[in-house]
């Protein structure tokens, strides 16, 4: 799954367009490397988002099969480090 789709599907960001803009700005890193929106994520990847107030790091636990998941199931797909 593309990283921009994954970020919006697991409710890390609200909309895919926001995820795409963040990737274009270069604030999203996949395994320590700046990523493009088309980068595929795999289970075990570490995704870092560099916000103005500090960075947040997430680990990919699973890839959703649907467009979005319920917020109650978020911990099955992503873990904040």
């Amino acid at each position: 799954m593309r990283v921009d789709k994954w970020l919006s599907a697991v409710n890390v960001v609200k909309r895919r367009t926001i995820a795409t803009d963040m990737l274009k700005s270069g604030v999203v890193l996949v395994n320590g490397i700046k990523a493009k929106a088309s980068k595929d994520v795999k289970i075990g990847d570490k995704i870092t988002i560099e916000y103005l107030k500090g960075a947040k790091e997430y680990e990919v636990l699973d890839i959703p099969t649907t467009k979005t998941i319920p917020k109650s199931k978020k911990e099955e797909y992503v873990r904040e480090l």
Side-chain angles (χ1 to χ4, degrees), residues 61-78:
L61 300 177
D62 201 1
I63 306 296
T65 55
T66 58
K67 187 175 180 179
T68 57
I69 60 163
K71 288 186 179 182
S72 60
K73 303 241 182 204
K74 182 177 177 178
E75 58 274 349
E76 294 176 18
Y77 296 93
V78 62

Side-chain angles (χ1 to χ4, degrees), residues 3-76:
V3 68
D4 59 342
K5 278 180 130 177
W6 185 86
L7 286 169
S8 64
V10 299
N11 302 308
V12 173
V13 294
K14 290 188 179 190
R15 290 185 297 273
R16 186 171 167 193
T17 53
I18 294 171
T20 305
D21 289 344
M22 292 170 76
L23 286 152
K24 285 181 184 176
S25 300
V27 297
V28 179
L29 306 163
V30 177
N31 296 324
I33 301 169
K34 288 188 181 182
K36 293 183 179 179
S38 60
K39 169 83 171 135
D40 283 335
V41 292
K42 298 171 191 71
I43 295 172
D45 281 352
K46 305 268 190 287
I47 297 176
T48 306
I49 301 175
E50 297 171 342
Y51 293 106
L52 294 174
K53 295 181 179 179
K56 286 194 174 185
E57 191 170 0
Y58 303 94
E59 182 180 358
V60 179
L61 300 177
D62 201 1
I63 306 296
T65 55
T66 58
K67 187 175 180 179
T68 57
I69 60 163
K71 288 186 179 182
S72 60
K73 303 241 182 204
K74 182 177 177 178
E75 58 274 349
E76 294 176 18

